[in-house]
Amino acid sequence: MNETILNELRATVRGDVLFDDVSRALYATDASIYQIDPVGVVLPRDEADIAAVLHVARKHHVPIVPRGGGTSLAGQAIGPAIILDCSKYMNRLLEVNVEEGWAWVEPGMVLDHLNAALAPQGVKFAPDVSPANRATIGGMISTNAAGMYSIVYGKTIDHVLELKVMLTDGSVTTLDPLTDDELREKLTADSLEGRAYRTVRRLSREHAAEIAERYPKVLRRVGGYNLDAFVPNDERRTTNDERATDNPPSSMVVRPSSAFNLAKMIVGSEGTLAIILAAKLRLVPRPRHTGIGVLHFRSLDDALDAVMPCLACHPSALELIDDVLMDLTRKSLEYAPLLASFTSAHPHALLQAEFFGDTPEEVREKLNGLERHVRATGWHEPFTIALTAQEKSAILEVRKAAMPLLMSISPDRKPETFVEDTSVPPERLGEYIRRFREIVQAHGTQASFYGHASVGVIHARPLVNLHQAEGVTQMRQIAEEVRDLVIEFGGAFAGEHGDGIARSEFNRELFGPTLYSAFQEVKRTFDPHGLLNPNKVVDALPMDSHLRFGKEYHVAVPLETHFHFRDTGGFAGAVELCNGNGLCRKTSSGTMCPSYMVTRAEEHSTRGRANALRMVLSGALPPEELTSERMHEVLDLCIECKGCTAECPSRVNMTRIKSEWLSHYHDEHGTPLRARLFGNIRTINQLGSAIAPLANMAIRMPGVNVISEKLLGISRHRSLPQFASTPFHQWFEQHQLQIADCRLQIGNQSRPSSMTVVLFPDTFADYNDPHIAQAAVRVLEAAGYEVLLPRRPVCCGRPMLSKGLLREAKALAQQQMEWLAPYAEAGMPIVGLEPSCILTFRDEYPDLLDDPRAAVLARQSFLIDEFLAGEVREGRATLPFELNHEDTKARRNNSNNFVSSCLGGEKKKQFLLHGHCHQKALVGSGAALELLRMIPGADVREVDSGCCGMAGSFGYEAEHYEISQKIGERALLPAVRALPPEAQVVAMGTSCRQQIADFSGRRAKHLVEVLAEALES
């Protein structure tokens, strides 16, 4: 039947129709613990496509699951259905009316993209969820999302004014607030819409007393259906929702409308009642000024006891972070520096309190008032205030990374998401968490706690091993006991993330049989044939069924690998680290994932690639899929940028995974000539340099680019690097002789060994751009160092690793150890110019080799900017252009914005820094910025450019040329073109400089070139 459905969909749908096994596997999971194979996937382009899908689904009685970013934590976005992914095409901002305070938005639009578009007009969509950079508006509506500012703004239901929806009979209608006359007209309509109005109105009236009795009286309840939104005002009882808005901590609190609006039934319904086509959203003014105070605590209990004193000061948000999360943050390359920026000593829990205000002084006074009030209770720990954008961003980024950071725990016991969504009255939060902790400890495990203390929503994640039957049993027992605890405390089992598979099973106990029957009637009325996301909210699946890692899970396709994958317990463990949080789907900042940023295809995200591989390794896909052409399509556009190494909170290292996979693919299909040529680029460049005049003439001859494209697949549109007649290492030999002669003439002796560095000459610095290595020598010598070269430099192996030539790379790495390890063991720093080369010693060698010297080499290998900046910072070295400028230290700490005035009366020098992907992932670009800001008169800005798009040889390959250009055009190339002619682009990567030259016509310089010029000026 699937073939018939596929053919009918392809005949009528203009969007993408994906029914192959790998595509289905990519959509079998979301960010939850569950996995269900879909029938197929459709990425609709418009309303007509959705109508076509619904028609086919009705005809063949196949369910539909609407899906946004796939960030749902309870399993809402999966099912044995046609997945309707609106995120790729239906993601437009349709209309904005700032004066009236609303915007029409398509369901696939990402929250951050919406708010970025609204920012210039001073308004925003208020609910602020942690995955804001990939969560879609449709998904937020479906789960009634809220976020950390719900104490001020409420939930999504308070900001949805109207919804344009498609009902299961194919009819399209707009649900909006109705006058009494309009409601009477709807109630008499002989249509599916009319029946829906009648059912909701009748049930809400019949069960008004039961609703008042059984609905949790807390601000954050998103489980079940929203019948409480339709109870007549005179029959309502006071709830915490209403009390919260009667005494708002801010004038920005939104009061819900009392008009009958059936859109409120769709909000939070998880796609079970109607398909959202567009939403009219309420817009609110952006806070004029904000500030965050971070309170340190010696224990979680101390932090919980401080919640009510903090709330007495009316913060706009109050967030809790426990010691488990902080320990994981300290281990993260991306987030550890952020945590360190706002914590002191070693706290075991934090509360971050945010305040809004009309002026900075108002915000500061509110923070001071908080500190005074809480200290009066006997609290004496550190208090950090964050007022600048950079300071606040660090705090918010750490908090929003909490869930994926927790999921990085390995190997098998993980903090799973099945009772993480409870909500209780804040005044009872401390007692509740202590009781919760007792339940968890009684089952022989522990939990992490963090979240929205302001509204009693603490995300508690018990550590369980779902690979084992005992772990699955343990999960269910904990869930049932926590459910009973929630009922005892008058709380909600679903306070933010919704019901899905994880919590729908418990709705009968939570709401009682009467309301549960009413929920079932709502579902049957809207969806009489059970087509829309069945078995969610009502008629649920068991919460311990359809687990991604269940008691029967095992690695069915073990691999003999070249890398050891020591930190993940093997290749399968490296793949299984992906928990589906979807941070790799962000498109507006950072590096990860460059190809997804321009294709918006799930298979080109780190999550998609990891899922595809895991499904093969676990046996969900046949073993032959591991090295199939379809799998090659999935992994081909991974450009091995290492962005995920730093930015994926779960530590998925897709660069290493792809290298390993490529080696197995080549074993199956043979290694292409082009892969061998690029993998052995040092040999080719060495030969080219030896016959440089002839070689350079040859690559410039007419027609050579066309021939190379046809024979080798190297794009005809690319300019190939020129070869140097005199390689750097030959120049350096003459340079050393000159230094020796000079020392003899002046009677000087060699510098002490503590001031000696080993400069590793990468392939391009040696044979293509020796002027860069020469500049590095001048800078290092000016800083007071004696420079050595390895006796027999060989390639770092990075080109071979990127092409999957792991046997050759391993042999080369071992050879490299013989030449470089003695320097490292002698304590000499080994400094490199090309980030991808020198950082290979740090990142790949220790996991590729069994040689204990690899760890020593890794410790002693430095990118030249991090080495020099560290030496200057510690006072072991100086750069001469620093000496006469007292403002150097101040300029090191400047913001990244260009300044408008010249420093010290000198002519302003503008620099735009583009960081290399590997540099940003493993060491950061801070040291390069620091060195540039030491230059007198320097105005320095770093562009948030992600990957340049060249990525080694990737951009040279004909089939990748267009996507390479698109990646560059996302941010980097427009930023370069916008520069004034006198500004200088700085890029430490050879491929980055080539990409900039090819598409902007500007020559970017290596950092050492700029520093050398500053020394000589």
Side-chain angles (χ1 to χ4, degrees), residues 693-704:
L694 182 61
N696 291 332
M697 184 184 304
I699 62 178
R700 290 196 299 266
M701 288 179 61
V704 168

Side-chain angles (χ1 to χ4, degrees), residues 31 66 164 170 188 211 275 543 549 584 596 611 642 662 763 799 867 880 935 944 987 1015:
K164 183 181 181 183
T188 58
I211 289 170
I275 300 172
M543 63 84 63
F549 301 111
C584 46
Y596 176 79
N611 267 335
K642 296 192 180 182
L662 263 179
T763 295
F867 172 75
I935 298 173
D944 185 6
L1015 289 170

Side-chain angles (χ1 to χ4, degrees), residues 203-253:
L203 291 174
S204 61
R205 287 174 176 268
E206 284 181 4
H207 302 303
E210 189 77 0
I211 289 170
E213 180 67 26
R214 295 303 299 256
Y215 271 67
K217 296 171 178 60
V218 292
L219 177 64
R220 295 286 289 273
R221 187 278 313 162
V222 300
Y225 289 129
N226 295 324
L227 281 173
D228 57 332
F230 301 92
V231 175
N233 286 337
D234 56 356
E235 297 183 37
R236 289 185 183 181
R237 297 185 186 179
T238 302
T239 67
N240 277 5
D241 274 5
E242 292 164 340
R243 285 200 299 271
T245 55
D246 286 341
N247 297 286
S250 165
S251 60
M252 289 190 238
V253 171

Side-chain angles (χ1 to χ4, degrees), residues 33 60 79 204 217 244 419 443 563 566 593 616 657 708 717 758 807 830 875 924:
I33 59 177
H60 295 283
S204 61
K217 296 171 178 60
V419 287
H443 286 279
F563 283 109
R566 291 185 175 97
C593 182
V616 175
I657 290 170
S708 67
H717 305 293
V758 179
R807 292 181 184 85
I830 299 167

